[in-house]
Amino acid sequence: MDTFGDKLDVLFEDAAARFEGFKYSKSMLKEEVERYKRFAERLDPFIADTVHVLNESIRQKKKILVEGGQATMLDIDFGTYPFVTSSSPSAGGICTGLGIAPRVIGDLIGVVKAYTTRVGSGPFPTELLGEDGDALRKAGMEFGTTTGRPRRCGWLDIVALKYCCDINGFSSLNLTKLDVLSGLPEIKLGVSYNQIDGQKLQSFPADLDTLEQVQVNYEVLPGWDSDISSVRSYSELPQAARRYVERIEELVGVPVHYIGVGPGRDALIYK
């Protein structure tokens, strides 16, 4: 706080010069400095050299859980740029963001919905439009938590999922919201992309123009009618639901260890 007042003074002076109607006085500066001193006192117990704290915890064999906010497809380096965030929510961000060495990272669990969603603009090859997309959105309650903005919904994109598995090196997957697909007569998996000339793409395209024009090849699996939200054992899932899970495992080459079947904390099947 010994330099905070001087820095804030510079910012206020600049704002007063640029914004008509912004009235700045030294009494305002004093008032703001006092206000932020109280904030600093409240925040002080939570401030630490986190690189030191985390690496000391690693040396002490403590368990550390790291959550990647947002998603790999929004990663500034590997996502669908420019429709991305400003950081690295993929596994590499653990090292660059927290100062943890790559060799000490343990299990990496990829969290993926049983279908695909996207907020806002950007390419979405497996998007469901019209009534089908509306029905999936309603069943999954796919609306922004803060804004209420409807999310775009579509079939699970295996090409994008395999790309994410390659980048992150997932040891297992947590497949969420499987219950949302209940009641559908058939379920599709987007297993590969073709270019507009019919040529099959060997990998997820880095070029947005290409991605926006791809034709998706689908694999169709039978759906299931029963409500699975109360199921807690993998063997009790309908055969079609188990087949869907196992086909995802086969296609991406990563085992599904956790299956979400509802919004509750207990609505989880360990496979």
Side-chain angles (χ1 to χ4, degrees), residues 142-189:
E142 296 292 351
F143 299 91
T145 306
T146 305
T147 64
R149 182 169 54 163
R151 298 189 183 106
R152 299 158 64 193
C153 299
W155 300 118
L156 184 59
D157 188 333
I158 294 295
V159 182
L161 180 55
K162 286 174 71 175
Y163 174 70
C164 293
C165 290
D166 286 345
I167 290 168
N168 292 283
F170 294 133
S171 48
S172 64
L173 295 176
N174 177 354
L175 187 69
T176 69
K177 306 187 85 165
L178 184 65
D179 56 303
V180 172
L181 299 180
S182 297
L184 295 175
E186 61 181 31
I187 302 168
K188 295 182 180 181
L189 289 170

Side-chain angles (χ1 to χ4, degrees), residues 23 77-78 89-90 115 152 164-165 171 177 192 232 265:
K23 305 300 181 185
D77 293 312
F78 299 108
S90 55
Y115 51 95
R152 299 158 64 193
C164 293
C165 290
S171 48
K177 306 187 85 165
S192 62
R232 296 295 179 269
R265 283 177 175 267

Side-chain angles (χ1 to χ4, degrees), residues 31-98:
E31 184 180 321
E32 286 296 293
V33 168
E34 290 303 315
R35 191 161 72 98
Y36 276 89
K37 276 183 180 177
R38 295 194 295 272
F39 290 155
E41 289 167 1
R42 289 175 61 186
L43 289 169
D44 185 66
F46 307 103
I47 304 298
D49 177 354
T50 53
V51 173
H52 173 73
V53 169
L54 285 168
N55 282 282
E56 275 299 301
S57 298
I58 290 168
R59 282 187 278 272
Q60 294 168 22
K61 308 296 183 184
K62 291 183 178 179
K63 291 183 179 180
I64 299 173
L65 175 65
V66 179
E67 178 186 0
Q70 298 179 324
T72 297
M73 299 311 298
L74 296 178
D75 187 282
I76 191 168
D77 293 312
F78 299 108
T80 51
Y81 188 88
F83 305 101
V84 294
T85 187
S86 59
S87 58
S88 299
S90 55
I94 297 171
C95 303
T96 58
L98 299 176

